[in-house]
Amino acid sequence: MLTKRIIPCLDIKNGRTVKGVNFVDLRDAGDPVELAKQYALKGADELVFLDISATLEGRKTMHDMVLKVAEHVNIPFTVGGGISSIEDVDALLKCGADKISINSSAVKRPELVNELANKFGSQCVVVAIDAKNVDGNWIVHLAGGTIPTKLNLFDWAKEVEQRGAGEILFTSMDNDGTKDGFANDALAKLSQELNIPIIASGGAGTIQHFVDTFKKGKADAALAASVFHFGEIPISELKEALKENNIAVRL
Amino acid sequence: MKLVIINYGAGNIKSIQFAFKRLGVDAILSNNPEEIKAADKVIFPGVGEANSAMQMLRASGLDTLIPTLKQPVLGICLGMQLMCKSSEEGNTKGLGIFNVAIKRFSNVVKVPQMGWNTISDLKSPLFKNIEEDAFMYLVHSFYAEACKEQIATTNYEFDYASALQKDNFYGVQFHPEKSSVVGEQILKNFLAI
């Protein structure tokens, strides 16, 4: 049976992990390769690296990082942040990234999704969508939730699926950082209306939140950052608990 | 050990090359027929769309070379699919090494299948020291039907052939290069065949 995936997300700036990472057995918590290797050992199913570098210089270091991760890590990983062209994607895939994720560049120019799917295949095209519930309507936002668009989450998700996205990474800006659980109603609706995998993001605080997002939210994968980085939820413990709740996981 | 990864423009070959490097083997990337023929082992990778990948193979004449190879050949993902008779993807005629058709999953399940699933009913030296129901990483929308050449079974929508073997030709739908230590064991087994 296909299992539900647990995905730690690492923010990268100028080739280094940011957000304090608290792993006792790490020599260098700022080294994305060290951290990625640890996560692979501890049972993470995939990894996401999000480049938050603001400069061109910073972006260039991302290619070196991707190359090193591909060299040393034996599980799949996605790279996102600042990707807006076929050339950007080509370079990252050539460095060994398995999937790339696009967000605002797809909103600005939706044809990009078609172009990437046609050139590289849907399997490597993840479309990340950040949305907020505004008076009962889920509205897509850009720039970390600061800029609202006119797009409705569900319409936009269906559009990118038709354009060739292989997967949706949905972050609820209302839930992100709250540690109060994932946006399961919206996630369940996405899963019902779309036929591609959905990654839940934003709101992980407890093991029960993961159980709920797989059961109530029908998510195919769940992504989180701080609960993993600070060791609040060890991945092995999380997966054991999911199994006890009859959720298929890789152990 | 001379290991060649066929480089015909399709897919993430870097990951495969790195996986072998972790096992201590430097793989050569090549589309040169003489170099491929002279290899001890050959990897036939592939990620992307079947029809355009087949066109790239034909353009370099590799479509006629690959079925004549005598050394162990391992097709991975789309590489495996192209070794089959035909594919529904782009209505593509394959290399015909495996006598099986490639079909698309229906919309009863999410397509692509993306993530870790088990392989069972393992029947090949390729799976030496691999336990039944080991987890492998898969990303695909098309699958090989159950068939005589099947050496591993995976269930998604139904049971399908997630690995195939005929004589010196091996094919795996999953990505051993991305399937943690178990995947690395399968690559080691291939090197030992």
Side-chain angles (χ1 to χ4, degrees), chain B residues 8-137:
Chain B
Y8 62 107
N12 189 345
I13 46 180
K14 205 86 195 170
S15 298
I16 299 175
Q17 197 179 20
F18 280 142
F20 281 110
K21 198 176 161 197
R22 288 195 293 272
L23 300 176
V25 176
D26 282 321
I28 301 159
L29 305 180
S30 177
N31 62 356
N32 177 325
E34 292 311 313
E35 194 160 35
I36 295 169
K37 265 193 261 179
D40 297 310
K41 300 267 159 60
V42 175
I43 303 289
F44 178 33
V47 170
E49 200 270 330
N51 205 351
S52 48
M54 218 31 226
Q55 280 173 26
M56 286 190 270
L57 277 184
R58 276 192 221 107
S60 49
L62 294 170
D63 60 322
T64 51
L65 173 75
I66 294 170
T68 66
L69 292 172
K70 300 285 175 253
Q71 65 275 63
V73 177
L74 176 63
I76 297 177
C77 196
L78 183 61
M80 181 209 86
Q81 296 190 355
L82 295 179
M83 289 160 89
C84 298
K85 192 169 64 182
S86 63
S87 173
E88 275 185 4
E89 188 177 25
N91 207 0
T92 306
K93 186 174 181 294
L95 300 177
I97 295 166
F98 302 122
N99 188 26
V100 55
I102 300 294
K103 304 208 159 169
R104 192 180 193 277
F105 287 118
S106 83
N107 285 348
V108 172
V109 288
K110 288 196 175 182
V111 184
Q113 168 174 225
M114 192 174 296
W116 298 78
N117 200 337
T118 52
I119 53 171
S120 58
D121 209 3
L122 307 175
K123 287 180 220 164
S124 165
L126 195 59
F127 301 122
K128 195 182 164 198
N129 296 326
I130 303 292
E131 286 179 22
E132 284 286 317
D133 296 322
F135 283 102
M136 290 290 137
Y137 187 77

Side-chain angles (χ1 to χ4, degrees), chain A:
Chain A
M1 187 192 279
L2 181 66
T3 54
K4 301 290 187 182
R5 287 169 284 152
I6 298 297
I7 309 177
C9 176
L10 303 166
D11 284 353
I12 307 292
K13 193 172 185 181
N14 304 324
R16 305 271 298 165
T17 31
V18 292
K19 278 191 185 170
V21 173
N22 188 8
F23 263 16
V24 277
D25 37 5
L26 269 190
R27 278 169 302 168
D28 178 2
D31 178 0
V33 178
E34 271 292 298
L35 199 52
K37 275 164 87 170
Q38 282 295 322
Y39 274 129
L41 273 175
K42 287 172 194 287
D45 296 306
E46 272 182 47
L47 298 165
V48 168
F49 295 92
L50 195 59
D51 185 14
I52 57 165
S53 307
T55 61
L56 198 61
E57 201 79 330
R59 296 226 186 282
K60 279 187 190 142
T61 61
M62 198 64 182
H63 290 172
D64 296 332
M65 189 217 78
V66 171
L67 205 55
K68 283 198 195 105
V69 171
E71 188 172 354
H72 295 287
V73 177
N74 56 16
I75 60 170
F77 65 98
T78 302
V79 179
I83 298 168
S84 58
S85 69
I86 285 188
E87 292 72 32
D88 291 344
V89 172
D90 192 45
L92 289 166
L93 294 180
K94 279 196 177 129
C95 289
D98 298 287
K99 301 187 253 184
I100 56 83
S101 130
I102 52 173
N103 188 334
S104 53
S105 57
V107 172
K108 284 174 195 150
R109 206 171 66 78
E111 300 76 32
L112 180 63
V113 181
N114 305 66
E115 291 165 14
L116 295 178
N118 290 339
K119 175 124 176 96
F120 305 106
S122 291
Q123 82 291 330
C124 71
V125 182
V126 182
V127 174
I129 306 178
D130 298 342
K132 265 187 203 176
N133 190 333
V134 181
D135 303 326
N137 283 320
W138 280 95
I139 303 295
V140 177
H141 281 62
L142 301 181
T146 54
I147 305 172
T149 69
K150 293 198 166 85
L151 296 167
N152 167 276
L153 164 66
F154 304 102
D155 296 340
W156 175 235
K158 269 182 268 183
E159 180 177 341
V160 298
E161 176 184 36
Q162 276 157 14
R163 287 180 181 276
E167 193 166 41
I168 302 283
L169 166 55
F170 164 52
T171 304
S172 161
M173 304 310 296
D174 297 326
N175 300 58
D176 201 29
T178 63
K179 299 206 173 181
D180 223 8
F182 295 90
N184 293 325
D185 291 345
L187 282 160
K189 193 170 172 197
L190 278 175
S191 248
Q192 195 189 336
E193 296 194 1
L194 273 69
N195 203 48
I196 53 177
I198 311 290
I199 307 172
S201 159
T206 66
I207 286 179
Q208 187 60 40
H209 293 155
F210 287 88
V211 173
D212 291 344
T213 206
F214 291 130
K215 288 206 161 168
K216 296 180 192 156
K218 314 279 180 214
D220 299 287
L223 176 143
S226 61
V227 291
F228 297 140
H229 300 334
F230 292 106
E232 289 162 26
I233 301 179
I235 289 175
S236 56
E237 212 174 284
L238 170 60
K239 286 188 146 184
E240 287 290 349
L242 292 172
K243 194 186 168 195
E244 279 165 28
N245 280 277
N246 298 316
I247 294 165
V249 286
R250 176 179 70 110
L251 284 172

